[in-house]
Amino acid sequence: MKYMGSKARIVHEILPIMLDKEHDTFVDAFCGGCSVIENVPNTYRRIANDKNKYLIEMWKHLQDGGFVFSYISKEMYDKARDCYHGKDNFFTEAGVGLIGFMASFNGRFFDGGYSGHNVVGKNGKARDYIREQIENTMRDVPLLKGVEFYSGSYDELVIPDRSIVYCDLPYKATKKYDVSKNFDYERFYIWCMEMARRGHKVFISEYQMPQEFRCVWEKEVANSLNPNITKRPVERLFTID
């Protein structure tokens, strides 16, 4: 699924660094578009968490074989957005998630505006952005069979003993979803240290981290939502010993 901050382009480089034979549980504490957890072998117990309850209800709905919209009008989009802002209750939480992520530009969940069907670009060709997002997302669903989904803050998640814990947190100095605004980074750093002290193997995707964290992988990567930008940030994977 197209999602802000997706790791789809680099997952096959960073995942082998994280996986090992000494741990049997993989916890994705900020699962988002699930591009990482869907590639973790199902021989692991797989736990996916995200603070956005609409996102998690959407994934659970799709995982259970639930109904998927084939066409999302601007009127449906506006009504679902009203539900999200507490002005209506016409759609379920899963429905709000489906419409918000399938019909917003770049999957930005009511923050990028309505993407639309059969939109004619500058080249004169029509493109169905919503259909593309739906098809991309539905290809991911079979890979999520058996994943345990939870919604809440990362520090409220019950993590089994000696887990691999992956955190694709909201990056500093980047635009964030509503649920990620005012993220407390210092609190997160302390939590990571505590998780490592408890015997978990902790990994974090970020551009920069405090000196207590060690970089184990880095690569210059184009912005996943805008491949035409000239500035290419360096994606890094950190751990803490």
Side-chain angles (χ1 to χ4, degrees):
M1 183 177 83
K2 184 177 284 188
Y3 190 88
M4 184 173 66
S6 171
K7 295 299 178 287
R9 295 185 180 185
I10 63 173
V11 62
H12 295 296
E13 295 186 42
I14 65 174
L15 201 52
I17 298 172
M18 295 189 278
L19 300 180
D20 62 34
K21 296 181 180 179
E22 299 174 4
H23 300 77
D24 58 10
T25 302
F26 188 97
V27 178
D28 193 339
F30 303 78
C31 67
C34 289
S35 60
V36 172
I37 196 77
E38 70 183 21
N39 284 287
V40 175
N42 59 15
T43 52
Y44 287 82
R45 179 183 178 186
R46 299 183 295 170
I47 298 173
N49 176 76
D50 200 279
K51 193 173 182 180
N52 189 327
K53 63 181 180 180
Y54 301 100
L55 175 70
I56 294 300
E57 289 304 313
M58 181 197 80
W59 283 128
K60 289 164 67 175
H61 173 79
L62 295 177
Q63 187 185 50
D64 291 340
F67 171 79
V68 182
F69 299 105
S70 59
Y71 181 86
I72 300 173
S73 67
K74 179 63 163 59
E75 291 73 21
M76 289 174 64
Y77 181 81
D78 291 342
K79 199 170 188 66
R81 184 173 55 196
D82 285 344
C83 292
Y84 172 61
H85 290 297
K87 300 177 182 179
D88 201 340
N89 61 358
F90 182 80
F91 292 107
T92 64
E93 291 178 349
V96 172
L98 274 168
I99 295 171
F101 285 106
M102 297 304 105
S104 295
F105 269 116
N106 289 322
R108 287 191 59 86
F109 195 59
F110 301 121
D111 192 28
Y114 177 69
S115 57
H117 295 277
N118 301 316
V119 178
V120 179
K122 294 180 180 180
N123 59 5
K125 295 182 179 180
R127 184 171 175 183
D128 192 332
Y129 290 101
I130 294 175
R131 180 184 57 79
E132 290 177 15
Q133 178 75 324
I134 292 172
E135 291 180 352
N136 289 339
T137 302
M138 294 309 295
R139 282 196 291 268
D140 295 337
V141 173
L143 301 175
L144 299 173
K145 184 178 180 181
V147 172
E148 301 170 38
F149 282 103
Y150 298 94
S151 178
S153 178
Y154 67 90
D155 54 355
E156 297 173 348
L157 187 61
V158 176
I159 300 177
D161 292 341
R162 292 187 54 78
S163 292
I164 299 170
V165 181
Y166 173 63
C167 303
D168 185 13
L169 72 159
Y171 285 15
K172 267 189 173 183
T174 60
K175 188 171 183 178
K176 300 173 177 62
Y177 289 120
D178 286 343
V179 294
S180 302
K181 291 178 180 178
N182 302 315
F183 187 83
D184 190 334
Y185 291 93
E186 294 302 322
R187 179 181 176 184
F188 171 74
Y189 302 149
I190 293 171
W191 178 83
C192 288
M193 295 175 193
E194 175 62 19
M195 292 302 101
R197 188 191 68 78
R198 293 184 186 181
H200 300 304
K201 191 176 179 183
V202 181
F203 292 93
I204 307 99
S205 280
E206 242 287 22
Y207 294 148
Q208 299 291 339
M209 288 288 287
Q211 62 181 6
E212 293 86 355
F213 296 82
R214 177 169 56 91
C215 180
V216 293
W217 175 92
E218 64 179 22
K219 184 176 183 179
E220 188 179 82
V221 180
N223 186 301
S224 63
L225 294 183
N226 187 358
N228 297 316
I229 62 172
T230 55
K231 184 178 180 181
R232 293 172 177 260
V234 177
E235 283 274 2
R236 293 185 172 92
L237 183 69
F238 295 87
T239 192
I240 182 166
D241 300 316

